[in-house]
Amino acid sequence: MDFQPTGEQRALRAGVRDLLAGRYGREALRASVEAGVAVDRRLWRELGEAGFFALRLPESDGGVGLGLPEAALVFEEAGRALLPGPLVATHLAAGVVPGAASGTTVVTAFDLGGPLVAHLGEADAVLGASAPPEGEPVRSVDPLTPLHRVAGRHPDPGPDPAPYRDEGALLTAALQVGSALRTVELAVDHARRREQFGQPIGAFQAVKHLCAGMLVRAEVARTAVYAAAVTGDVAEIAAAKLLADEAAVRGARDCLQVYGGMGFTWEADVHLHLKRAWVRAEQWRTAAQAEEVLAADLLGAVG
Amino acid sequence: MDLTYTDEEQEFRARLREWLAKELPALPPRPSPDDWPARRAYDAGWQRRLFEAGYAGLHWPLDAGGRGATPTQHLIFLEETERAGAPYVGANFVGLLHAGPTIAAEGTAAQRARWLPPVLRGDEMWCQGFSEPDAGSDLASLRTRAVRDGDDYVVTGAKIWTSHAEVADWCELLVRTDPGAPKHRGITWLAMPMDAPGITVRPLRTLAGSAEFAEVFLDEVRVPAANRVGAENDGWRVTMVTLSFERGTAFVGEVVACRRTLALLARTAKENGRWDDPVLRRTLGRLHGELGALWRLTQWNVSESERSGGVPGTGGSVFKLAYSHARQELYDAAAQVLGAGSLALDEEWVLDRLSSLSYTIAAGTSQIQRNIVAERVLGLPKGR
Ligand SMILES: Cc1cc2nc3c(=O)[nH]c(=O)nc-3n(C[C@H](O)[C@H](O)[C@H](O)COP(=O)(O)OP(=O)(O)OC[C@H]3O[C@@H](n4cnc5c(N)ncnc54)[C@H](O)[C@@H]3O)c2cc1C
């Protein structure tokens, strides 16, 4: 058994991190927040060219021919960079919706379990639908996840995302883990630099313990995501989503706390991590759903 | 990232499983937790069987009498023995997991020859004399004095919370040999025979009602200088070696045990109707996810240490923090499943619930582990 990433997997992750640092660094993130544009078509195509969406398509179909473990590593990096857009839905649509694999088509999904749909206005297609439905724009909590309300009061208006639910949940969990790990870094950097009472606040135990708790949650979630990516097991995927949602949401909140008053400003990136983490926690599989999947699995194990 | 086991590992697992299936039915039931002499004999007997079957000191190096197994094989060993319901290492804990590995790493050839084989055979038991009444989390402030007198150290002081002290033959003892030096610099690691004159062991009753740890009073106890492991005043460094073993794999088997307990609870909840309570059902589901993830974290840490040549990494503190809290949540959930039944002490798991309360204290409290994670893993500055 060797659970550690292989040399190729490490190289892939490093490559994606470099690509995103160059192409979607903090300036670009801030520029897209200011412009209110989540999906930059050119960047989308570049991601497509780099194999982001076609990662798991067989090489015979023009894909990269890699598996879920590699996808999890790549999505972790996207989460770390706070890369916006319907990344998971477009990735899942590769090989199903023309142009998704190459990044020329933007595909979203009814993954929010209600009448709200993310990125509808920016998408060319909806996973499982013959054509994108009409929708009313809704002001979104996350500046980079625009929302539309579809078909008024209907509770479940769109195509059923069930066939994609597990993989969608897993990749979303990987995004959450990347964000959680990033907020640990942000908090630790800040705690080392910011001084109060004549010393870095990171020397205070109350702050240290917040940071340590963040890391523990992020590391446990990360292993859960990797394991689920390797086994593809439905219950492990549910656990991965559950733990990763919690690591991302609580991590961002704790990071905000470490930042103090600065954490409550628009300037600090922390709120962007928190808001995106809230959105992702509602996507594909909520905590309540994940816990029910796990409960059923637990009972199944005892027969 | 690969979670499949090699052919060799699978073969190792199969052989072990076969041996356990043959061995376990013949085993007498475990004596009551209060009867320490009987438990010592029981734990020694199990260790002897492991020794004869070639499973003793599996993860110890070959030249220390161990089997030189890979961390993965050791993981399989812990997983399979726990799954089969084999006895836990019990009173052999300190010898096998702390003192033995420390002597193997830091001891002289003569010390290794003297102390290691009896640990592997189950002939001698060790206890850990680190904590003192005024030196718990702040271990380096310990005050038990050792003064050199000819070929001996003369030791005076008091230790506390010493698990299994009543039945131990040897104690890994930390003493202060240079009271003038900064606190981390004047400590020495000694192997103290527990039958030496001047030692008084006074059992302490735990909240579970048993006497599994004790106070140990030391009144001019003579310990041969030849029993010193490492250099005089270099004991803190040796101690860090000991503690890295303690946090390395000490809880691996227990995750497997917790998962078994949880499965049992689910079945009980189904039978007594509490499963229909969605809040409780979801709590059990969440625990299933958490404990599963902790098992994966264990595999992660093991394959990491395998790559780094068997050195336990910092993952130990991350794991211990998460595990000790999950274990307590598990038993809280158990109490919800059993309702008033959780008040009856004749159920084994109720005793386990009580013992789980020590997990966030023993082997370094959660607060101390968080300091370690923050300072050594995240690199935050030390407080003043
Ligand atoms: C079941 C059990 C078995 C044990 N077996 C052994 C054994 O065999 N041998 C042995 O040597 N020891 C043993 N111990 C002792 C154990 O290692 C200590 O209890 C532990 O290190 C805590 O020390 P303390 O009890 O003195 O608590 P204290 O150090 O007094 O701590 C009390 C509280 O203060 C907190 N605290 C202390 N310092 C800090 C700090 N710097 N920052 C934040 N919080 C802090 C702690 O987290 C804790 O909550 C055992 C303990 C238990 C419970």
Side-chain angles (χ1 to χ4, degrees):
Chain A
M1 177 204 64
D2 184 8
F3 191 10
Q4 299 293 308
T6 62
E8 285 102 60
Q9 287 169 334
R10 281 168 206 270
L12 172 70
R13 177 164 63 186
V16 175
R17 187 176 295 193
D18 287 348
L19 172 94
L20 291 176
R23 201 48 191 82
Y24 200 74
R26 176 143 205 279
E27 307 266 290
L29 167 67
R30 283 292 163 167
S32 49
V33 170
E34 291 321 312
V37 177
V39 178
D40 168 352
R41 291 278 174 168
R42 228 179 65 197
L43 175 57
W44 209 257
R45 276 196 305 278
E46 281 171 37
L47 290 172
E49 278 156 27
F52 193 94
F53 302 116
L55 195 73
R56 291 187 302 133
L57 272 192
E59 287 177 71
S60 53
D61 294 343
V64 189
L66 293 173
L68 266 182
E70 286 78 16
L73 293 171
V74 166
F75 273 74
E76 178 184 323
E77 291 306 321
R80 174 186 288 273
L82 262 180
L83 188 64
L87 297 162
V88 171
T90 303
H91 176 97
L92 294 173
V96 179
V97 177
S102 60
T104 46
T105 305
V106 176
V107 186
T108 190
F110 278 84
D111 54 15
L112 283 167
L116 293 182
V117 187
H119 302 289
L120 188 61
E122 300 164 296
D124 308 304
V126 176
L127 198 58
S130 48
E134 291 295 310
E136 290 266 308
V138 175
R139 264 157 51 84
S140 169
V141 66
D142 174 11
L144 290 177
T145 309
L147 296 172
H148 280 72
R149 183 175 282 113
V150 173
R153 286 141 293 152
H154 198 290
D156 191 15
D160 186 6
Y164 300 96
R165 193 175 300 285
D166 288 318
E167 292 185 355
L170 177 69
L171 297 175
T172 306
L175 290 168
Q176 295 284 54
V177 164
S179 173
L181 288 166
R182 179 70 190 134
T183 53
V184 180
E185 286 171 8
L186 288 173
V188 168
D189 281 353
H190 186 75
R192 268 206 282 248
R193 272 183 291 117
R194 171 71 174 167
E195 293 196 3
Q196 289 289 285
F197 300 95
Q199 60 181 329
I201 57 168
F204 298 117
Q205 214 170 43
V207 174
K208 262 187 201 154
H209 287 196
L210 277 178
C211 295
M214 290 165 74
L215 182 76
V216 170
R217 286 192 300 268
E219 288 288 339
V220 174
R222 187 164 72 118
T223 340
V225 167
Y226 292 174
V230 170
T231 64
D233 177 78
V234 173
E236 283 210 277
I237 289 175
K241 181 68 167 43
L242 182 70
L243 295 171
D245 284 347
E246 191 168 299
V249 171
R250 289 188 57 191
R253 291 180 72 141
D254 288 350
C255 180
L256 199 150
Q257 183 69 21
V258 170
Y259 267 63
M262 245 265 263
F264 195 66
T265 67
W266 191 263
E267 287 310 303
D269 293 343
V270 185
H271 71 107
L272 299 174
H273 279 281
L274 178 57
K275 291 164 178 173
R276 191 75 55 80
W278 278 338
V279 172
R280 294 187 194 119
E282 296 298 326
Q283 281 175 317
W284 298 107
R285 185 161 272 145
T286 62
Q289 291 163 343
E291 284 168 355
E292 288 290 1
V293 169
L294 284 159
D297 183 73
L298 174 63
L299 202 60
V302 292
Chain B
M1 290 188 279
D2 189 358
L3 285 165
T4 53
Y5 291 89
T6 64
D7 288 349
E8 208 185 338
E9 287 160 354
Q10 279 173 351
E11 200 186 303
F12 173 79
R13 188 192 292 277
R15 253 185 296 125
L16 173 60
R17 208 175 265 190
E18 205 178 297
W19 180 76
L20 286 166
K22 202 159 56 61
E23 203 69 12
L24 291 180
L27 220 61
R30 191 154 196 226
S32 110
D34 299 325
D35 189 350
W36 271 101
R39 268 178 77 172
R40 177 198 154 119
Y42 183 87
D43 294 343
W46 175 243
Q47 184 59 31
R48 180 86 201 183
R49 281 167 195 244
L50 290 173
F51 177 78
E52 279 160 5
Y55 290 117
L58 205 59
H59 59 307
W60 287 21
L62 290 171
D63 63 2
R67 316 296 300 181
T70 61
T72 301
Q73 282 173 328
H74 187 218
L75 178 80
I76 294 171
F77 174 80
L78 293 169
E79 185 186 9
E80 287 300 325
T81 44
E82 190 57 60
R83 185 174 281 164
Y88 182 56
V89 5
N92 289 304
F93 183 86
V94 173
L96 275 172
L97 299 177
H98 286 208
T102 304
I103 292 164
E106 298 287 333
T108 62
Q111 290 173 335
R112 289 152 67 123
R114 166 62 191 86
W115 285 312
L116 299 183
V119 168
L120 293 179
R121 284 196 305 263
D123 291 346
E124 289 182 352
M125 306 265 165
W126 285 69
C127 62
Q128 180 191 35
F130 282 14
S131 305
E132 296 185 7
D134 292 322
S137 300
D138 187 10
L139 179 58
S141 69
L142 62 93
R143 288 208 300 248
T144 291
R145 286 284 317 270
V147 181
R148 187 69 184 256
D149 180 31
D151 287 342
D152 293 336
Y153 286 103
V154 179
V155 181
T156 300
K159 294 289 170 176
I160 198 166
W161 319 126
T162 317
S163 302
H164 319 151
E166 272 188 287
V167 295
D169 306 290
W170 292 94
C171 177
E172 48 173 19
L173 186 75
L174 294 185
V175 293
R176 184 158 303 283
T177 33
D178 183 356
K183 66 180 186 177
H184 292 90
R185 301 264 172 77
I187 294 171
T188 298
W189 200 106
L190 296 178
M192 177 177 75
M194 287 298 284
D195 59 0
I199 301 179
T200 309
V201 175
R202 206 184 70 180
L204 290 166
R205 200 153 177 232
T206 73
L207 55 69
S210 67
E212 69 182 50
F213 52 30
E215 278 177 294
V216 179
F217 300 98
L218 307 165
D219 182 14
E220 302 202 342
V221 180
R222 298 192 83 87
V223 179
N227 289 15
R228 188 187 69 223
V229 174
E232 186 170 290
N233 297 329
D234 192 27
W236 187 252
R237 190 189 56 77
V238 182
T239 302
M240 289 304 109
V241 173
T242 308
L243 293 182
S244 74
F245 287 114
E246 176 169 27
R247 286 169 197 150
T249 46
F251 305 101
V252 168
E254 297 186 37
V255 184
V256 182
C258 283
R259 297 184 78 193
R260 239 189 14 206
T261 302
L262 180 63
L264 208 71
L265 276 178
R267 192 189 301 155
T268 308
K270 188 74 188 163
E271 279 161 13
N272 72 14
R274 307 226 170 181
W275 186 257
D276 298 331
D277 170 359
V279 176
L280 181 51
R281 184 173 68 233
R282 283 178 48 190
T283 300
L284 297 177
R286 165 175 288 266
L287 277 164
H288 182 41
E290 280 178 18
L291 291 171
L294 288 175
W295 171 245
R296 295 309 193 189
L297 184 59
T298 301
Q299 291 177 310
W300 176 266
N301 287 341
V302 162
S303 56
E304 189 173 44
S305 83
E306 196 143 304
R307 282 209 189 175
S308 65
V311 187
T314 43
S317 288
V318 169
F319 177 83
K320 195 212 176 232
L321 265 170
Y323 172 69
S324 54
H325 290 271
R327 186 181 173 100
Q328 290 174 359
E329 282 164 27
L330 168 68
Y331 286 106
D332 285 345
Q336 289 179 53
V337 170
L338 285 125
S342 66
L343 304 175
L345 259 186
D346 51 357
E347 300 249 16
E348 190 178 326
W349 77 267
V350 181
L351 287 174
D352 288 343
R353 181 186 192 204
L354 292 174
S355 92
S356 79
L357 297 170
S358 75
Y359 276 68
T360 47
I361 299 170
T365 68
S366 291
Q367 285 69 38
I368 295 301
Q369 300 295 339
R370 285 192 195 99
N371 288 350
I372 292 174
V373 169
E375 289 167 13
R376 298 202 207 136
V377 185
L378 295 175
L380 286 169
K382 279 198 175 297
R384 286 204 294 231

